[in-house]
Structures are given as C-alpha cells and as structure tokens.
Amino acid sequence: MSVKSMRQAADNRAAHNQAQINAQTSPLAALRRALEWVMSEARSMSPADVPAVTTRITRVARDMNERSRP
C-alpha cells in the first residue's frame, strides 16, 4: 500500500468512527464507541508505541476515577 492510500484509509476510518460516535444518543454509548475505535486502531500500532498509549489511557481512567470519588 502506498503512503497516500494508507493516509486515505486512515482518514476514511476516522470519518466513519467520528460519525458513529456523533450518532450516539447516549453519552455513555458515545464513550463506548470511542473506546471501540481505540481498540480497533490499536491492532495496527507498533509494539513500541503501546506503552505510551497505555500510559495516556490509564491517566484518563485514573482522572475519571478521582472525579467519581465523593
């Protein structure tokens, strides 16, 4: 695959997933759809990139957990 076609495929995936997220009526359904997109994109990640992305996602989860505490 050429770089141009890979870029187009990524743009198409992004547009499709963003439309799916925007179409959700529930905020939690939109969150679930966004997380599914993350997992889908993770399949094509370089193993070297996984720890950094895991750290970012863990930071978001920890922040959400802190906010839910009374």
Side-chain angles (χ1 to χ4, degrees), residues 12 49 56 63 67:
N12 291 343
D49 295 333
R56 288 172 58 193
D63 181 53
R67 289 187 209 177

Side-chain angles (χ1 to χ4, degrees), residues 17-29:
N17 283 296
Q18 191 62 61
Q20 292 291 315
I21 291 166
N22 293 343
Q24 300 301 316
T25 55
S26 161
L28 287 177

Side-chain angles (χ1 to χ4, degrees), residues 4-37:
K4 184 177 178 181
S5 62
M6 288 171 53
R7 184 75 174 158
Q8 185 62 47
D11 288 345
N12 291 343
R13 284 193 318 274
H16 171 78
N17 283 296
Q18 191 62 61
Q20 292 291 315
I21 291 166
N22 293 343
Q24 300 301 316
T25 55
S26 161
L28 287 177
L31 175 61
R32 185 177 313 112
R33 186 66 190 98
L35 292 171
E36 289 171 359
W37 182 15

Side-chain angles (χ1 to χ4, degrees), residues 20-63:
Q20 292 291 315
I21 291 166
N22 293 343
Q24 300 301 316
T25 55
S26 161
L28 287 177
L31 175 61
R32 185 177 313 112
R33 186 66 190 98
L35 292 171
E36 289 171 359
W37 182 15
V38 167
M39 291 306 299
S40 174
E41 292 295 328
R43 283 185 253 144
S44 62
M45 282 180 67
S46 160
D49 295 333
V50 172
V53 174
T54 301
T55 300
R56 288 172 58 193
I57 293 170
T58 302
R59 212 173 311 137
V60 169
R62 189 172 291 124
D63 181 53

